[in-house]
Amino acid sequence: MISRAGSGPLRRLVVLRHAKSARPPGVADHERPLAPRGRRDAPAAGRALAEADCLPDLALCSTAVRARQTWQLASAQWGTPPPVRHDPRLYAADVPDLLAAVQAVPPEIRTLLLVGHNPGLEELVLALAGDGLGDTLDRVRVKFPTSAIAVLAWYGSGWDALRPGVALLTDVLVPRGKKK
């Protein structure tokens, strides 16, 4: 169950790991683009978010090319994408950096999408989830693959109140696009 210890509205943090990236020779890690599979999977992630009624009010996205491309392809599946902030702190971020970025989000945002990288995203999900529905926690512990989506729900007056262990991991999705 979601702890009612916090006061305020229900909030959702939707965590999306970037889609599968390519590894072209001589290209810096930050500049790596999506691989063909990633270009198929990112739109599938966008469709999955829409089908799960998890469209965000705001997106925070790593500045890495593969994360920005994931955001562009996923959000193109929605009628009107929300605002996005490309945040350099999200590239190669650990849990404290990711949590600091989330905690700085304005309180009027109810559903926040975070697009970034492992291992930080997986560790953030596991740190924030005090519990999970069904086998969601076990699934994240085993693997949080490219294009994976984790949905965390919690009650709070603002994002600055989000702390480890207070959220409920309600869903884990791994959408895949079809080869043409």
Side-chain angles (χ1 to χ4, degrees), residues 3 128 147 150 153:
S3 169
L128 293 176
S147 299

Side-chain angles (χ1 to χ4, degrees), residues 113-134:
L113 175 65
L114 184 62
V115 183
H117 313 269
N118 257 6
L121 290 184
E122 178 180 325
E123 292 168 355
L124 178 71
V125 169
L126 294 173
L128 293 176
D131 200 0
L133 295 180

